Amino acid sequence: MAIQDPVPEPKVHVVLLATEAWGHTRPLCTFAARLAQTRRVNVTLFTAPNFAERVEAELSRSFGPSDEALRDLIRVATLDMGERKTVDALGFAAYNEAFARAYAKLVDGDTIICAHTHKKIKPISAPDAVVMDFFCVSGLEAVRKLSKKPVKVLAWMACHASVLIYPFAPESRGGRGDYRPKVMAEAASTGRPIEEVAEKVMNAYTGAIVRVPGLPLMYDYELSPQVVHLEGFAGVFYMMMQTFIDACDGTILVTAEPLEPEGVAKIRAWFAETSRKTYAVGPLFPLGENAVSGEKAQSDKPTEIDEFLETTLQSSGPKSLLYIAFGSLYWPTEPEKIWAFLDVVMEKKIPFILSHASPFAVVPDEVTAKVKAYGLGILSKWTPQQTILAHPVRNWLVCYTLRYKQYPRSHRS
């Protein structure tokens, strides 16, 4: 057995919290590993019951057998959400409330019980910093209220920089400006519910041309190309995120600055106006000796996908595969468009893999049968994304763009 170098006693305690979406939680696991490996700090990573096992598996991808001491710096605590066990990233009130209860115990030096393993997590020093998803505004409020010393709260933004600028940045930085005052004023004057007014104001598209830093010119309605499950909630949802952005002490962007230099620069300048820092830390992929095998172990069809990649490479050549990737939460409200798209793909004899992990995703039996008969496609709940993207057979990537309201028919071609 290799002799491990002793790990110095950590002097800093960082708390991590992502929302209940795997696309936000997965990179946070790698971020936790990097903190332990490069900074030697204590990390408490809170997660939801439905992600508990995946978080442990994802963390293991960044560590080998000789890294046990570093891995032990990361404490995974599943939040106790009572009877609510299913994913709920749209409202997630129970999630934030469970975090507030657990954070209070950290501050007071009390033992925490992991709701998944039921193991005791011993007290350590009170948190020095919190990195949390910018969806979790009530979680931020809990940190401000419960902390007994100054604690930095950094916004975890697991998305492209360009996605953040138009909805949240001031007009001087390429955004549309804060629409909260307009919503509150109209709700007060009309007596209409805030949710209704916020939805109306947010989706008041005029056909104007907008310039989002790092993206081509586009019409404003192109920012909302389809209906998803946030219909009727998106306006207030965005107001919550705007509140978090205004209140946090800085931001961590899970994007690569060389890929989005203009967008990152705009966000950095925007936050610098209030003496806050921006860190671009992506992309975040595990690099440990278990990185590849650990990812495949999480897939529902690892062997089948491996074999499919190799046989497709032999039969169709490099850059011949279409990878269609949907996230772990959001799913189109008009899935028939997906099946129509697959029909065209199969007519063109294009090999493909479709990943559909969302709990809302239901693949009709006739679609499953058609893909099976086609023989050049795979439908999978969980796919080893890094493996597929890195394989020489992969050419095109189609992923689901999350937008919140379908634009008016008068603007559609």
Side-chain angles (χ1 to χ4, degrees), residues 41-327:
V41 302
N42 280 316
V43 177
T44 301
L45 194 165
F46 287 108
T47 191
N50 50 303
F51 285 162
E53 294 181 1
R54 285 196 175 275
V55 164
E56 292 287 357
E58 190 66 18
L59 283 170
S60 70
R61 298 178 61 205
S62 293
F63 298 97
S66 62
D67 300 325
E68 291 180 7
L70 293 175
R71 172 62 185 85
D72 288 345
L73 294 178
I74 304 172
R75 301 122 48 88
V76 177
T78 303
L79 293 170
D80 183 0
M81 298 163 64
E83 297 302 316
R84 215 231 70 186
K85 303 295 184 183
T86 56
V87 66
D88 181 28
L90 306 189
F92 53 91
Y95 191 61
N96 281 272
E97 291 168 3
F99 168 76
R101 292 192 297 270
Y103 186 80
K105 290 181 178 294
L106 285 184
V107 170
D108 292 338
D110 294 336
T111 298
I112 296 175
I113 306 297
C114 176
H116 178 68
T117 64
H118 304 294
K119 293 181 179 179
K120 294 181 179 180
I121 299 177
K122 66 179 182 180
I124 55 175
S125 61
D128 298 287
V130 177
V131 178
M132 59 166 44
D133 214 303
F134 72 129
F135 295 173
C136 301
V137 64
S138 60
L140 181 148
E141 293 168 350
V143 172
R144 297 288 194 230
K145 178 181 178 180
L146 297 170
S147 298
K148 298 178 180 178
K149 65 179 181 181
V151 173
K152 294 286 187 182
V153 178
L154 300 180
W156 179 251
M157 297 181 172
C159 57
H160 293 294
S162 58
V163 173
L164 299 168
I165 295 171
Y166 182 74
F168 304 115
E171 293 181 18
S172 61
R173 297 295 176 187
R176 65 180 175 186
D178 184 359
Y179 67 84
R180 288 174 298 177
K182 183 177 181 180
V183 170
M184 302 307 291
E186 184 172 334
S189 64
T190 63
R192 293 162 58 196
I194 290 177
E195 293 81 2
E196 180 183 323
V197 175
E199 193 82 5
K200 167 182 168 286
V201 173
M202 176 184 169
N203 293 288
Y205 299 120
T206 63
I209 295 176
V210 297
R211 169 71 168 91
V212 179
L215 297 180
L217 292 175
M218 64 180 73
Y219 294 106
D220 57 0
Y221 55 77
E222 292 184 274
L223 295 165
S224 296
Q226 66 261 321
V227 180
V228 295
H229 295 282
L230 283 181
E231 182 79 16
F233 177 72
V236 171
F237 193 55
Y238 265 43
M239 290 172 67
M240 290 165 50
M241 289 187 280
Q242 185 78 63
T243 299
F244 192 111
I245 289 171
D246 290 349
C248 70
D249 298 305
T251 180
I252 296 177
L253 302 175
V254 187
T255 188
E257 191 163 356
L259 296 178
E260 295 191 278
E262 187 179 359
V264 173
K266 285 288 185 181
I267 292 179
R268 184 169 284 126
W270 164 27
F271 272 71
E273 290 178 350
T274 48
S275 301
R276 298 180 295 170
K277 290 189 176 182
T278 297
Y279 305 92
V281 299
L284 288 171
F285 299 124
L287 301 174
E289 58 189 88
N290 299 320
V292 174
S293 61
E295 183 187 41
K296 291 179 180 179
Q298 297 180 55
S299 173
D300 60 337
K301 298 179 179 179
T303 302
E304 183 180 347
I305 289 174
D306 256 351
E307 294 174 351
F308 182 74
L309 293 173
E310 292 303 319
T311 56
T312 302
L313 180 62
Q314 296 301 316
S315 62
S316 301
K319 297 185 177 180
S320 59
L321 178 77
L322 170 65
Y323 180 37
I324 309 167
F326 287 83

Side-chain angles (χ1 to χ4, degrees), residues 346 349 365-377:
M346 290 186 280
K349 302 298 182 184
D365 292 340
E366 58 267 28
V367 173
T368 302
K370 187 181 295 186
V371 172
K372 185 177 181 180
Y374 174 58
L376 296 177

